[in-house]
Amino acid sequence: MCMACYVDEAMKSRIIAYNAEFHKVTKSPYGSDDEIGMLNLIDAESRSAIMSRTDPSKVFDLSVDHFIGMPGWFGAGDQPYQIWMTHTPQGEIVANAMGVTPEANKLVGYSGDAISMYTHCGTHIDTFNHFGYNGEIFNGFTARDHLGSRAWQKCGPEKYPPIFARGILLDVAALHGVDTLPPSHPIGRADIEGCLKKQGLSIKPGDVVLLRTGQMLLWPDKAFASNTPGLNREGAEYLAKHGVIMIGADNLTLEQTPSAHPENFFPVHTYLLAEAGVPILEMAQLEELAAEKVYEFAFFGACIKLRGATGTPMRPVAMPLR
């Protein structure tokens, strides 16, 4: 495993990845009750610093629409996105669910709907209870003590603060001179350093790092969901040890699939979530940022507060810096 240190000793003590052991959950340096990991680096000073540099004249929406038939992670039998009407104007005239007069139902056109989906549909964030090792998740919380009949009692997205941070885009596809990376291309240290050099960037503690593979050019074709080019563990360690607070990508799984590890089918997820305390953003729409070569920006994103969930939709946005 990579033993390099990319920060000074004071910052190193605040970066969870430096306490990590291979295939073991990490206890947080932020205390035994910590449920947000590297998001602890967000504070009033960091928020003020990025907001003072933000140019609000242009907003990049980094999310995708939810719709019936959308690609997603359904390989383990989870629920695809569904939406259905619970009330329609004509239906209310017939069913009168509100218990009002026929005249009222004709006057007031009432529509309502409901949805059902796996919490990892569309642009979303993965929380620390999504993956762990041997019955434990980040910071030593256990399925035995902290998993109820319906949901985890620890590390749900309701605990995550709104994320205000410097964001950087690493256009790995452009580095290789292609629109879309080849299937299962691994993004490791060499690709990351190549992007940083080409784009004139450096990674700073507290950053959100977004990786462009070009997979969104396949969206919403089903090819989007197979043999994903993505981050490998080497690349994940490199980013985590620079002190990033979240890593995202424009692909289905963030990481390379299928897994190159003989036993761990999601080595990057388990490393980032259980060992390094770094949440994950998946299926981010990065094409507009890349087309305009906006490689450094203010990142803003907040979770839907689904208590105890392993993932939740996020509508992140980016704004250029002055």
Side-chain angles (χ1 to χ4, degrees):
M1 297 302 148
C2 174
M3 300 301 295
C5 184
Y6 306 105
V7 296
D8 61 31
E9 287 299 316
M11 179 53 66
K12 181 179 176 181
S13 68
R14 303 178 66 194
I15 296 176
I16 298 165
Y18 286 106
N19 297 322
E21 295 182 50
F22 185 67
H23 280 183
K24 295 182 180 180
V25 301
T26 303
K27 296 295 182 68
S28 174
Y30 297 98
S32 61
D33 60 347
D34 176 42
E35 300 179 54
I36 65 172
M38 289 302 296
L39 296 181
N40 279 288
L41 292 190
I42 301 172
D43 57 21
E45 182 178 356
S46 70
R47 288 192 298 267
S48 297
I50 195 62
M51 293 184 74
S52 68
R53 300 174 59 200
T54 301
D55 176 4
S57 64
K58 174 75 173 181
V59 177
F60 297 88
D61 187 341
L62 307 183
S63 63
V64 299
D65 294 352
H66 286 71
F67 56 91
I68 292 174
M70 67 189 296
W73 174 257
F74 309 127
D78 292 290
Q79 173 67 48
Y81 176 80
Q82 294 289 337
I83 184 169
W84 62 94
M85 300 302 297
T86 57
H87 303 278
T88 64
Q90 181 59 38
E92 288 305 303
I93 293 172
V94 175
N96 192 23
M98 294 296 293
V100 298
T101 65
E103 291 75 20
N105 276 324
K106 290 177 183 178
L107 174 65
V108 179
Y110 175 22
S111 293
D113 46 31
I115 65 170
S116 174
M117 68 176 190
Y118 187 40
T119 52
H120 300 265
C121 285
T123 309
H124 68 276
I125 193 169
D126 288 354
T127 54
F128 297 140
N129 52 25
H130 188 31
F131 281 100
Y133 296 119
N134 301 308
E136 292 185 303
I137 60 172
F138 172 72
N139 208 13
F141 300 119
T142 67
R144 183 190 63 239
D145 296 330
H146 303 108
L147 178 58
S149 295
R150 297 285 183 175
W152 279 92
Q153 297 174 354
K154 296 292 184 179
C155 297
E158 77 279 6
K159 305 296 177 61
Y160 284 13
I163 298 172
F164 296 76
R166 174 182 179 251
I168 62 171
L169 171 67
L170 300 182
D171 194 342
V172 186
L175 176 71
H176 289 275
V178 297
D179 293 331
T180 305
L181 290 174
S184 303
H185 174 93
I187 298 174
R189 176 173 177 169
D191 277 348
I192 294 168
E193 290 186 335
C195 284
L196 293 170
K197 182 178 180 179
K198 179 181 178 184
Q199 297 172 200
L201 295 172
S202 61
I203 303 171
K204 302 174 183 177
D207 282 353
V208 170
V209 175
L210 304 179
L211 305 171
R212 178 179 176 269
T213 67
Q215 282 288 100
M216 272 296 159
L217 294 176
L218 304 179
W219 180 271
D221 189 274
K222 297 301 182 184
F224 175 84
S226 61
N227 298 323
T228 309
L231 194 62
N232 64 16
R233 175 157 176 145
E234 178 192 75
E237 286 195 20
Y238 183 82
L239 293 173
K241 289 180 178 180
H242 276 80
V244 304
I245 60 171
M246 186 165 70
I247 303 171
D250 60 349
N251 58 11
L252 179 69
T253 57
L254 173 65
E255 65 182 281
Q256 169 197 20
T257 63
S259 171
H261 193 284
E263 297 179 0
N264 188 336
F265 55 89
F266 274 139
V268 171
H269 275 69
T270 50
Y271 169 70
L272 290 176
L273 299 177
E275 295 183 46
V278 177
I280 291 169
L281 178 69
E282 292 171 327
M283 288 185 260
Q285 177 54 269
L286 304 178
E287 289 306 301
E288 189 180 9
L289 276 178
E292 299 196 21
K293 293 183 170 52
V294 178
Y295 299 133
E296 182 183 18
F297 46 87
F299 177 95
F300 304 103
C303 299
I304 296 178
K305 298 170 76 173
L306 304 179
R307 187 175 295 181
T310 64
T312 187
M314 173 181 275
R315 188 173 185 178
V317 299
M319 299 184 194
L321 299 180
R322 296 189 179 95

